[in-house]
Amino acid sequence: MNDNNKDNDQAKLLAPRPVRESISEMAELVLPNDANPLNSLLGGRLMHWIDLAGALAAHRHTRQFVVTASIDHVDFLVPVRVGDLVILRSSVNRVYRTSMEVGVKIWVEHYRSQEDIHVGSAYLTFVAIGRPG
């Protein structure tokens, strides 16, 4: 690859991107294996899903591999039950020199009543890393 192509690729990676390009959404159905004896979603399982949803937005923004540097804040507002459809919506909130903040909002969609309930929010910091090799 010549130097011009490398410069063009680097310029594309560093070009500013609007938030809408990073918006991601994933859905998970809460199954009995995801729950505690009270039929509520395990907090650790939800944190795993939050991490995945955040990584999707960070990856879309950077177009590179990303790793989680930290989970800055998580709020669990109401319990999530077995059978609930969990929707995780994420987007890059802010980009710094070496990292980015991603926000994730967690909703439960009651598909029979067509009601959405905000059940939690989280803020994570991601770092883009170069391709291996």
Side-chain angles (χ1 to χ4, degrees), residues 71-88:
I71 297 179
D72 303 325
H73 191 86
V74 180
D75 285 321
F76 301 109
L77 304 175
V78 295
V80 177
R81 303 289 181 198
V82 170
D84 284 347
L85 180 61
V86 178
I87 309 295
L88 298 102

Side-chain angles (χ1 to χ4, degrees), residues 20-71:
R20 71 178 173 271
E21 287 189 25
S22 71
I23 293 173
S24 301
E25 182 174 292
M26 62 181 269
E28 295 285 344
L29 181 62
V30 180
L31 300 173
N33 193 47
D34 302 320
N36 62 26
L38 301 174
N39 280 334
S40 294
L41 177 63
L42 293 164
R45 177 77 69 191
L46 183 57
M47 289 179 67
H48 174 75
W49 294 343
I50 289 168
D51 191 33
L52 292 173
L56 286 171
H59 176 71
R60 281 187 166 167
H61 180 81
T62 63
R63 296 184 174 64
Q64 294 187 33
F65 294 113
V66 296
V67 295
T68 309
S70 68
I71 297 179

Side-chain angles (χ1 to χ4, degrees), residues 67-128:
V67 295
T68 309
S70 68
I71 297 179
D72 303 325
H73 191 86
V74 180
D75 285 321
F76 301 109
L77 304 175
V78 295
V80 177
R81 303 289 181 198
V82 170
D84 284 347
L85 180 61
V86 178
I87 309 295
L88 298 102
R89 296 183 179 115
S90 59
S91 63
V92 172
N93 293 339
R94 181 150 181 175
V95 177
Y96 303 95
R97 193 173 66 79
T98 60
S99 63
M100 71 203 82
E101 180 191 79
V102 175
V104 180
K105 283 196 172 187
I106 305 102
W107 300 83
V108 165
E109 179 181 300
H110 292 285
Y111 37 89
R112 295 185 73 173
S113 66
Q114 297 182 344
E115 180 184 22
D116 292 344
I117 299 172
H118 181 223
V119 297
S121 297
Y123 296 96
L124 302 88
T125 301
F126 286 89
V127 176

